[in-house]
C-alpha cells in the first residue's frame, strides 16, 4: 500500500484528535525516558532517578503506634541496650580513685602554692595507664580547655579531676535500687521523730553526729585524720592491718584522711549489708588484687584479730574453725574462693567482714547465743514487773 493512501485513511478517521493527543503523550513519555536514561548515565549509570534518593541518609523514623506491639517492644529493647552501653562508659568509684592516684603520681614540678599541676607529656602518660573508659578525657582539646596562665604549660590536676567528675553522673537505676532513697524521701515528713531523724543518714542530726565524731577523732585539730586518730573510731577495736589497708587504698593527703574520704569510710561501715558498702570493704580485704578472697587473705586479716585477743587476755580462736565457718556461711561457687558477688548473694557479707576487721564485732558474733539468751532473760524480767 502506498504511503499516500495510508495518510489519506488516517486523516479520514473520526478519532483523529484523540489519536493526535495520544501521539503527543507518547512523545512526551519517550522524551522523559530518554532524558532519564542519559541523565542516569551521566550521574554514574543509575537505572532510574529513584536510585539517586537512596544515597540520602534517613533522618526521620516515626514512632510506632500503640497497636504495633512488636515495634513498641523493639523500641524498648533498643533503648535499654543503649542505656546499658552508656552506663558502662561511666567511671565507678574504684576507677575514679585509680585515676586520682595516677594523676597525683605524675604531677609535674615545680610546686606553686599547694596546687598540684601536670604537663601535657605526663597527662598523656596517665591517659595510657588509666584504662579505656578514661581515653575520652585525655585529648589535646581537653588539655587546652583547662590550660590557663601557667608559665610551665601545665594544668591543675584538681581542675581536671573535677572536669572528669562532672561527666560521671549517678545512674538512675542505682538510686532507685538503693535503700537511701527511702531515707531521703522520709525527710518530707515534718512530724518525723527525733529518734528517726538520728538514724536517717540525710537528716541534720545525723550529719551533725558524723561531723562531731570527725572533730572528736581529730586530736591535733589539723582538719585531717591520721591512722592513729582513725583507730579510735567506734569501739576502737578495728585491727591495725585493716587500718593499714584503708590508708593504702583510699585517697589521702600526705598520709592523712580528709572529711570526704572519712564520709565514704563511715558510710561503708555503717551500711555493711548494702552491695556498694561490701564492694568498698571487699577491695580492702582483697590484698592480692585478684578479685576474690582465699584462705591466705582470710588468715592475713584474722591473725590481727587473734593478736588483739591476746592483748586483751582472751584465748585466741582457731583460724581453721573461723575459716570453715566463713565458707559455710557464704557457700561460694568456687569452694576455695569467695568473690564479691558470693558475699552479696549470701546475705552474710556484713557478718563476714565484721569478723575479719573488728575485734568487738568478732566477739559479738562469737558470743551471739549467750547475748540472745541474756536479752530473753531481761525481757522476761521486764514482763514480770
Amino acid at each position: 500500500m502506498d504511503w499516500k493512501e495510508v495518510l489519506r485513511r488516517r486523516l479520514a478517521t473520526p478519532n483523529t484528535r484523540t489519536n493526535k493527543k495520544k501521539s503527543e503523550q507518547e512523545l512526551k513519555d519517550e522524551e522523559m525516558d530518554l532524558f532519564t536514561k542519559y541523565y542516569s548515565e551521566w550521574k554514574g549509570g543509575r537505572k532510574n532517578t529513584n536510585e539517586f534518593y537512596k544515597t540520602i541518609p534517613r533522618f526521620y523514623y516515626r514512632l510506632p503506634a500503640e497497636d504495633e506491639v512488636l515495634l513498641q517492644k523493639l523500641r524498648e529493647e533498643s533503648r535499654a541496650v543503649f542505656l546499658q552501653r552508656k552506663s558502662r562508659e561511666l567511671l565507678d568509684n574504684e576507677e575514679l580513685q585509680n585515676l586520682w592516684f595516677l594523676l597525683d603520681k605524675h604531677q609535674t614540678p615545680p610546686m606553686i602554692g599547694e596546687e598540684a599541676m601536670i604537663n601535657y607529656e605526663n597527662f598523656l602518660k596517665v591517659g595510657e595507664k588509666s584504662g579505656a573508659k578514661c581515653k575520652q578525657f585525655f585529648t589535646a582539646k581537653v588539655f587546652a580547655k583547662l590550660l590557663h596562665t601557667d608559665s610551665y604549660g601545665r594544668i591543675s590536676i584538681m581542675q581536671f579531676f573535677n572536669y572528669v567528675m562532672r561527666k560521671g553522673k549517678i545512674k538512675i537505676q542505682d538510686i532507685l535500687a538503693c535503700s537511701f532513697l527511702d531515707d531521703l524521701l522520709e525527710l518530707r515528713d515534718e512530724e518525723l521523730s527525733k529518734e528517726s531523724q538520728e538514724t536517717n543518714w540525710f537528716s541534720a542530726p545525723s550529719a551533725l553526729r558524723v561531723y562531731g565524731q570527725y572533730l572528736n577523732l581529730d586530736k591535733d585539730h589539723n582538719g585531717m585524720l591520721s591512722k592513729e586518730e582513725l583507730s579510735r573510731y567506734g569501739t576502737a577495736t578495728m585491727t591495725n592491718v585493716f587500718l593499714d589497708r584503708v590508708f593504702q587504698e583510699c585517697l589521702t593527703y600526705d598520709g592523712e584522711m580528709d572529711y570526704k574520704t572519712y564520709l565514704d569510710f563511715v558510710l561503708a561501715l555503717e551500711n555493711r549489708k548494702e552491695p556498694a558498702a561490701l564492694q568498698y570493704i571487699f577491695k580492702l580485704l582483697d590484698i592480692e588484687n585478684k578479685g576474690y578472697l582465699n584462705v591466705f587473705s582470710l588468715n592475713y586479716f584474722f591473725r590481727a584479730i587473734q593478736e588483739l585477743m591476746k592483748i586483751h587476755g582472751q584465748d585466741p580462736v582457731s583460724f581453721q574453725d573461723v575459716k570453715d565457718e566463713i565458707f559455710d556461711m557464704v557457700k561460694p561457687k568456687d569452694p576455695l574462693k569467695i568473690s564479691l558477688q558470693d558475699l552479696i548473694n549470701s546475705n552474710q557479707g556484713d557478718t563476714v567482714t565484721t569478723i575479719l576487721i573488728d575485734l568487738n564485732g568478732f566477739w559479738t558474733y562469737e558470743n551471739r547465743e549467750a547475748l540472745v539468751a541474756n536479752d530473753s532473760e531481761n525481757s522476761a524480767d521486764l514482763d514480770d514487773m
Side-chain angles (χ1 to χ4, degrees):
M1 184 181 292
D2 192 285
W3 65 271
K4 293 180 180 180
E5 184 65 25
V6 173
L7 183 58
R8 286 193 196 100
R9 289 183 179 182
R10 189 169 292 278
L11 290 172
T13 305
N15 294 328
T16 301
R17 181 172 291 184
T18 304
N19 289 336
K20 185 178 180 182
K21 286 184 178 179
K22 184 177 180 181
S23 299
E24 288 178 356
Q25 186 62 44
E26 287 175 350
L27 287 172
K28 287 181 180 179
D29 291 341
E30 184 180 355
E31 183 180 317
M32 179 56 68
D33 290 340
L34 288 171
F35 172 78
T36 302
K37 175 185 175 184
Y38 292 121
Y39 177 76
S40 299
E41 290 177 356
W42 177 70
K43 291 295 291 183
R46 296 186 178 89
K47 293 181 180 180
N48 53 59
T49 52
N50 290 333
E51 292 292 331
F52 173 74
Y53 297 108
K54 290 182 180 179
T55 63
I56 302 176
R58 185 175 179 181
F59 57 89
Y60 172 74
Y61 295 85
R62 72 174 182 84
L63 295 177
E66 293 183 2
D67 58 341
E68 295 176 316
V69 179
L70 186 59
L71 290 177
Q72 288 278 9
K73 187 65 177 177
L74 177 61
R75 182 170 181 267
E76 291 174 7
E77 290 297 323
S78 300
R79 181 169 177 78
V81 171
F82 170 76
L83 291 175
Q84 288 175 6
R85 188 175 72 249
K86 299 303 289 184
S87 295
R88 287 193 293 268
E89 294 175 3
L90 297 177
L91 300 177
D92 57 29
N93 288 336
E94 184 175 345
E95 289 165 329
L96 285 170
Q97 288 182 359
N98 180 58
L99 175 61
W100 177 263
F101 171 77
L102 290 171
L103 288 168
D104 186 59
K105 184 179 179 181
H106 289 82
Q107 58 178 287
T108 307
M111 181 75 75
I112 300 176
E114 297 183 355
E115 191 167 21
M117 310 290 283
I118 187 170
N119 64 13
Y120 188 63
E121 181 182 357
N122 287 339
F123 178 78
L124 293 180
K125 289 180 181 178
V126 174
E128 293 174 358
K129 297 178 180 179
S130 58
K133 287 186 181 179
C134 296
K135 293 293 183 185
Q136 58 179 314
F137 303 113
F138 289 89
T139 64
K141 183 177 180 180
V142 172
F143 189 89
K145 184 185 295 186
L146 299 175
L147 182 63
H148 297 301
T149 58
D150 183 67
S151 56
Y152 297 94
R154 304 169 301 173
I155 64 172
S156 165
I157 287 178
M158 183 58 71
Q159 285 185 10
F160 173 72
F161 190 73
N162 287 336
Y163 173 84
V164 175
M165 288 284 286
R166 288 195 297 272
K167 305 292 183 180
K169 306 295 189 297
I170 300 174
K171 292 181 283 188
I172 293 176
Q173 62 186 18
D174 288 344
I175 296 176
L176 295 176
C178 183
S179 62
F180 289 158
L181 183 61
D182 296 333
D183 294 339
L184 187 61
L185 295 176
E186 187 181 47
L187 296 180
R188 298 168 65 180
D189 184 2
E190 296 180 357
E191 298 180 359
L192 192 65
S193 65
K194 183 178 180 181
E195 292 76 13
S196 298
Q197 290 186 47
E198 289 176 349
T199 59
N200 189 309
W201 179 261
F202 298 101
S203 68
S206 177
L208 290 173
R209 172 183 65 83
V210 175
Y211 188 62
Q213 289 174 348
Y214 184 79
L215 293 178
N216 288 333
L217 292 173
D218 183 19
K219 294 300 181 182
D220 58 6
H221 306 294
N222 70 340
M224 309 281 277
L225 297 182
S226 64
K227 190 183 82 170
E228 193 275 330
E229 289 172 328
L230 186 64
S231 68
R232 292 194 291 270
Y233 172 81
T235 56
T237 52
M238 286 187 296
T239 67
N240 283 328
V241 170
F242 176 68
L243 291 172
D244 286 339
R245 288 293 294 157
V246 171
F247 279 80
Q248 286 169 7
E249 293 293 329
C250 296
L251 179 62
T252 57
Y253 302 87
D254 294 328
E256 294 199 317
M257 177 184 291
D258 69 350
Y259 184 60
K260 183 179 179 181
T261 306
Y262 174 76
L263 281 178
D264 292 337
F265 176 80
V266 174
L267 260 175
L269 293 188
E270 291 191 358
N271 300 276
R272 295 182 210 185
K273 289 184 179 292
E274 297 291 335
L278 287 176
Q279 182 181 16
Y280 177 97
I281 300 174
F282 185 87
K283 180 185 175 183
L284 302 177
L285 298 178
D286 183 15
I287 53 175
E288 297 179 286
N289 249 347
K290 291 183 175 180
Y292 60 81
L293 307 180
N294 53 21
V295 174
F296 174 79
S297 52
L298 296 180
N299 186 38
Y300 179 82
F301 285 96
F302 191 71
R303 276 186 304 176
I305 295 289
Q306 291 174 320
E307 292 172 4
L308 283 178
M309 294 180 76
K310 291 178 183 178
I311 292 174
H312 288 83
Q314 302 174 12
D315 294 328
V317 177
S318 166
F319 168 71
Q320 190 66 32
D321 294 339
V322 172
K323 183 260 296 181
D324 292 341
E325 198 160 350
I326 288 176
F327 275 90
D328 287 342
M329 281 191 290
V330 177
K331 296 180 176 60
K333 292 181 179 179
D334 187 323
L336 299 177
K337 302 173 183 176
I338 298 176
S339 68
L340 172 61
Q341 197 58 49
D342 289 329
L343 278 181
I344 295 172
N345 293 342
S346 70
N347 292 321
Q348 298 292 332
D350 58 324
T351 302
V352 171
T353 53
T354 299
I355 288 173
L356 296 173
I357 67 176
D358 189 342
L359 174 61
N360 184 62
F362 172 76
W363 184 89
T364 302
Y365 173 76
E366 190 72 5
N367 296 276
R368 60 193 180 282
E369 295 178 357
L371 292 173
V372 170
N374 187 51
D375 288 342
S376 300
E377 291 177 3
N378 290 337
S379 298
D381 290 341
L382 289 173
D383 292 339
D384 291 339
M385 294 174 64

